[in-house]
Amino acid sequence: MFFMKKVIVIGAGFAGLSAATKLADEGCDVTIIEKNSMAGGRARVFNEKGFVFDMGPSWYWMPDIFERYFAEFGKKPSDYYNLVRLDPSYKVIFNKEEEISLPANMQKLEELFESIEVGSAARLRDFLEKSKYKYDVGIGEFVWKPSISITEFFDIRLASKAISLDLFASFGKHIRKFFKNERLLQLMEFPILFLGATPQNTPALYSLMNYAEIALGTWYPMGGMHEIIKGMVALAKEKGVKFKLSEPVTKIVVEGKLAKTVVTEKGTYEADVVIGGADYHHIENNLLTDKTRNYDEKHWDKQVMAPSSLLFYLGVNRKIDKLTHHNLFFDEDFNVHADEIYTNPKWPSKPLFYASAPSKTDNSVAPEGSENLFILIPIAPDLEDNEAIREKYYHIVMDRLEAYVGHDIRNHVVYKRSFAVDDFKNDYNSYKGNAYGLANTLMQTAFLKPSLKNKKVNNLYYTGQLTVPGPGVPPSLISGLVVAKQVMKENN
């Protein structure tokens, strides 16, 4: 334990909160500086006309990671919020006549698979057994490494495991060893969309995501995803973390090889350690000088980014038929949309989209008789973004949504707000307006990701979705703990 090191954490998202709380628990004097008016990063919340809108993450997967996080401090998630398991986990809509709801019960899921493709129930068990191994090793061991050097992975025990993790096989080829039916393939490839690359360019290692969503379940914290942030903030304050909100950082002052002060629009803060939990590229390009950056602009421009998103937050003054909590509209060609995100970036011609109706589970997020609707269209990062484009896609999506549910929605929308590329840039200083960080391609895995440590400034570290272990809420929690432990190791 090292006592009263002054630590400044830039950014109050999941990773920043995680790192700050761990270091405060170890006796550090920790201050989080956040540009926005509330903690949470992309997981902020807002209230309008009786509706409570989560602004970003809406899926609660890998409950064991949340349990492990709170257990670091002798706590449990249930100390801060009430989790419920969703059943069905989600629904996939292929067209007006064809849809599949994924049951939470494993036996029912096997029966569903078998009804679609004879013999697939046994193959699902085999697939999940292999995926569980990847989860246990990948999430249990690999992602907790700081990945500063390749030598961390030279442990013979881990090296032998790495072979069976299928790091060098593509997820697309891997999944086709088990299933042939196109609908089952779409179901199994769906979680990969959250990793920011096509199944063909994603390592088969990430079949661990299938284990996470099928075996560990899809959950929801009553009150919304921001309840997790509220719990984390309460815990951070309990440990002594101080918060400076609505205070954008303008500069990190480096003297020699040490970051000495963090300058904001409102003041200057001395630091023994600085952790950048804001956008990595923004910190490097806007808060540091050329001589103290890890990576130049050419390096960043070569990185494969995960998608951005066009989001709509809708308050609807009627109930919407047929929708469950999570609904995936795969009623257009996935390959065409993927090409327009990753290969030939443009606004999609016929977008797939996701619709979340948390009010199907939680009465507290919408007035009685109303529906809280969150719509997400994945798009390429750094596209032109204006109100006319957003409105065009609003009607494209609503035409299909209304055709599916069989009744009018638009005339019942009493609140509407959009959020897209320019908002990601403005609110989060997000590189190219990305929503999910770096794509999880093989060449952007582990020590091939941007380093969590500045190589020229000895006491400057990074955490969050642009460094290890990668995008998503559970990886961000892990990222904060990993960087905190590295700080303790190097500054004890």
Side-chain angles (χ1 to χ4, degrees), residues 113-128:
F113 270 58
E114 193 67 22
S115 71
I116 296 171
E117 180 180 322
V118 175
S120 63
R123 291 195 292 274
L124 176 63
R125 285 193 292 273
D126 184 28
F127 172 79
L128 288 177

Side-chain angles (χ1 to χ4, degrees), residues 45-54 223-224 226-227 358 364-367 372:
V45 68
F46 70 95
N47 300 268
E48 286 288 347
K49 297 189 175 181
F51 298 91
V52 181
F53 294 103
D54 277 319
H226 191 74
E227 292 301 307
S364 74
V365 300
N372 179 318

Side-chain angles (χ1 to χ4, degrees), residues 5-171:
K5 289 266 187 185
K6 280 190 176 178
V7 179
I8 300 296
V9 177
I10 303 169
F14 282 104
L17 286 167
S18 173
T21 306
K22 183 62 181 174
L23 289 169
D25 191 47
E26 292 292 330
C28 292
D29 177 5
V30 185
T31 301
I32 295 181
I33 304 175
E34 166 59 48
K35 77 181 285 286
N36 290 311
S37 61
M38 71 173 68
R42 285 162 169 75
R44 291 180 298 155
V45 68
F46 70 95
N47 300 268
E48 286 288 347
K49 297 189 175 181
F51 298 91
V52 181
F53 294 103
D54 277 319
M55 293 191 68
S58 60
W59 294 80
Y60 192 108
W61 281 345
M62 303 185 185
D64 54 313
I65 300 301
F66 295 89
E67 289 163 10
R68 184 165 174 175
Y69 173 75
F70 285 105
E72 287 274 338
F73 314 102
K75 303 287 188 179
K76 304 185 295 295
S78 58
D79 293 331
Y80 299 99
Y81 52 87
N82 175 33
L83 270 185
V84 295
R85 184 166 181 175
L86 300 183
D87 189 8
S89 299
Y90 54 90
K91 178 190 283 190
V92 182
I93 295 99
F94 298 107
N95 52 56
K96 285 184 198 176
E97 292 77 35
E98 191 179 4
E99 62 184 50
I100 297 176
S101 293
L102 273 288
N105 178 275
M106 186 60 70
Q107 183 179 335
K108 289 181 180 177
L109 183 65
E110 289 182 4
E111 290 170 358
L112 171 65
F113 270 58
E114 193 67 22
S115 71
I116 296 171
E117 180 180 322
V118 175
S120 63
R123 291 195 292 274
L124 176 63
R125 285 193 292 273
D126 184 28
F127 172 79
L128 288 177
E129 186 179 331
K130 291 179 170 62
S131 300
K132 180 182 188 303
Y133 177 81
K134 293 182 176 71
Y135 189 89
D136 291 343
V137 177
I139 300 298
E141 299 183 48
F142 272 59
V143 299
W144 294 92
K145 292 189 170 294
S147 298
I148 291 172
S149 166
I150 190 174
T151 57
E152 295 170 36
F153 299 88
F154 283 177
D155 179 314
I156 291 175
R157 183 177 55 87
L158 282 181
S160 64
K161 287 182 177 180
I163 295 169
S164 54
L165 288 177
D166 289 328
L167 272 172
F168 302 104
S170 86
F171 181 89

Side-chain angles (χ1 to χ4, degrees), residues 462-482:
Y462 305 88
T463 189
Q465 61 182 15
L466 285 173
T467 183
V468 291
V473 176
S476 292
L477 290 177
I478 293 169
S479 183
L481 293 177
V482 168

Side-chain angles (χ1 to χ4, degrees), residues 105-336:
N105 178 275
M106 186 60 70
Q107 183 179 335
K108 289 181 180 177
L109 183 65
E110 289 182 4
E111 290 170 358
L112 171 65
F113 270 58
E114 193 67 22
S115 71
I116 296 171
E117 180 180 322
V118 175
S120 63
R123 291 195 292 274
L124 176 63
R125 285 193 292 273
D126 184 28
F127 172 79
L128 288 177
E129 186 179 331
K130 291 179 170 62
S131 300
K132 180 182 188 303
Y133 177 81
K134 293 182 176 71
Y135 189 89
D136 291 343
V137 177
I139 300 298
E141 299 183 48
F142 272 59
V143 299
W144 294 92
K145 292 189 170 294
S147 298
I148 291 172
S149 166
I150 190 174
T151 57
E152 295 170 36
F153 299 88
F154 283 177
D155 179 314
I156 291 175
R157 183 177 55 87
L158 282 181
S160 64
K161 287 182 177 180
I163 295 169
S164 54
L165 288 177
D166 289 328
L167 272 172
F168 302 104
S170 86
F171 181 89
K173 288 181 179 177
H174 177 69
I175 196 68
R176 281 162 178 78
K177 294 177 184 177
F178 298 89
F179 309 105
K180 304 296 181 211
N181 181 274
E182 193 59 34
R183 294 306 188 216
L184 292 185
L185 290 171
Q186 287 177 290
L187 287 177
M188 301 305 279
E189 287 181 340
F190 141 66
I192 301 304
L193 299 178
F194 288 84
L195 299 172
T198 63
Q200 289 69 36
N201 293 327
T202 301
L205 162 68
Y206 291 103
S207 64
L208 62 86
M209 293 289 289
N210 299 100
Y211 175 76
E213 59 109 350
I214 292 173
L216 301 181
T218 300
W219 301 76
Y220 173 78
M222 296 300 284
M225 293 291 284
H226 191 74
E227 292 301 307
I228 310 165
I229 293 294
K230 286 182 185 176
M232 292 179 71
V233 169
L235 178 56
K237 288 180 176 178
E238 182 184 322
K239 297 298 179 182
V241 176
K242 297 179 285 292
F243 286 80
K244 301 290 182 180
L245 302 175
S246 301
E247 194 164 342
V249 172
T250 57
K251 187 178 182 181
I252 298 171
V253 178
V254 177
E255 296 177 13
K257 288 196 168 186
L258 292 175
K260 289 290 190 178
T261 56
V262 173
V263 181
T264 75
E265 291 181 357
K266 296 181 181 179
T268 300
Y269 300 85
E270 293 181 356
D272 298 312
V273 173
V274 177
I275 298 175
D279 182 271
Y280 199 131
H281 173 269
H282 167 72
I283 293 169
E284 294 250 302
N285 269 47
N286 297 303
L287 307 185
L288 295 171
T289 63
D290 288 348
K291 295 178 181 178
T292 54
R293 294 170 188 157
N294 270 348
Y295 309 102
D296 61 19
E297 194 61 29
K298 286 182 181 177
H299 174 91
W300 282 107
D301 201 45
K302 290 177 184 174
Q303 300 302 294
V304 181
M305 303 308 298
S308 185
S309 298
L310 170 55
L311 310 174
F312 293 102
Y313 311 100
L314 305 176
V316 183
N317 68 359
R318 64 156 292 168
K319 301 306 284 186
I320 301 175
D321 296 343
K322 296 178 73 171
L323 294 185
T324 60
H325 190 121
H326 296 301
N327 309 271
L328 298 154
F329 283 79
F330 280 24
D331 51 339
E332 295 288 359
D333 191 323
F334 169 82
N335 293 320
V336 172

Side-chain angles (χ1 to χ4, degrees), residues 56 308-312 352-356 374-378 436:
S308 185
S309 298
L310 170 55
L311 310 174
F312 293 102
L352 282 66
F353 67 96
Y354 157 63
S356 175
F374 169 90
I375 293 173
L376 182 155
I377 306 171
Y436 301 104

